[in-house]
Amino acid sequence: MTKSLLTSVAALLALGATPALAQDYTGFSIGGQLLYGDAETDGPSLEGDDYLFGLRGYYDVDTGGLIYGGGAQIDTADIDLDGVASIDSVFRLGGRVGGNVAGAYLYGTLGYAFATTGGDADAGDSSGYFVGVGYET
């Protein structure tokens, strides 16, 4: 059974304010995240959407105008798939690219996603892709 998973990042929560000073985003970063996921399966046709939350770790390089990097994310979820099954967790491995906008890092991201499922009629684990946007202070 093949499935595709599309997760769009609705919000990356950042606590605290950062002054609009020149910052260098080169290096490792870890943090928590809140996302919104939308999932669809191919045969049987199931779909669902809901919030996810979890942890992420990245390494980025700041060239002075462009910031790029890669990393991994792990999230817990309870996305109901038409009452038949649910997505329990999502692991993502991908890249991101963006820039420093008013003292914060605004970026686009994409990569590989792997979701685990559960429920009465387990739909089976799945892999696919993710795309999204993010904002970090």
Side-chain angles (χ1 to χ4, degrees):
M1 168 184 341
T2 22
K3 295 181 223 152
S4 65
L5 172 69
L6 173 65
T7 303
S8 59
V9 178
L12 176 60
L13 296 180
L15 302 176
T18 303
L21 302 173
Q23 297 181 10
D24 184 356
Y25 285 93
T26 297
F28 289 100
S29 65
I30 58 172
Q33 58 191 14
L34 173 67
L35 307 102
Y36 194 79
D38 181 68
E40 297 178 17
T41 66
D42 304 330
S45 180
L46 302 172
E47 60 184 51
D49 54 68
D50 206 343
Y51 289 95
L52 302 91
F53 62 93
L55 299 173
R56 55 139 207 79
Y58 273 84
Y59 184 83
D60 295 302
V61 176
D62 188 340
T63 66
L66 182 69
I67 305 169
Y68 61 91
Q73 305 171 49
I74 183 75
D75 298 296
T76 186
D78 188 18
I79 299 175
D80 178 56
L81 299 174
D82 293 332
V84 175
S86 65
I87 296 177
D88 297 331
S89 66
V90 178
F91 172 76
R92 288 181 302 282
L93 186 63
R96 61 187 185 173
V97 63
N100 190 328
V101 177
Y105 181 15
L106 178 64
Y107 59 89
T109 183
L110 63 94
Y112 169 80
F114 179 79
T116 60
T117 61
D120 293 337
D122 191 350
D125 296 341
S126 176
S127 62
Y129 67 93
F130 73 90
V131 296
V133 295
Y135 178 81
E136 295 182 16
T137 59

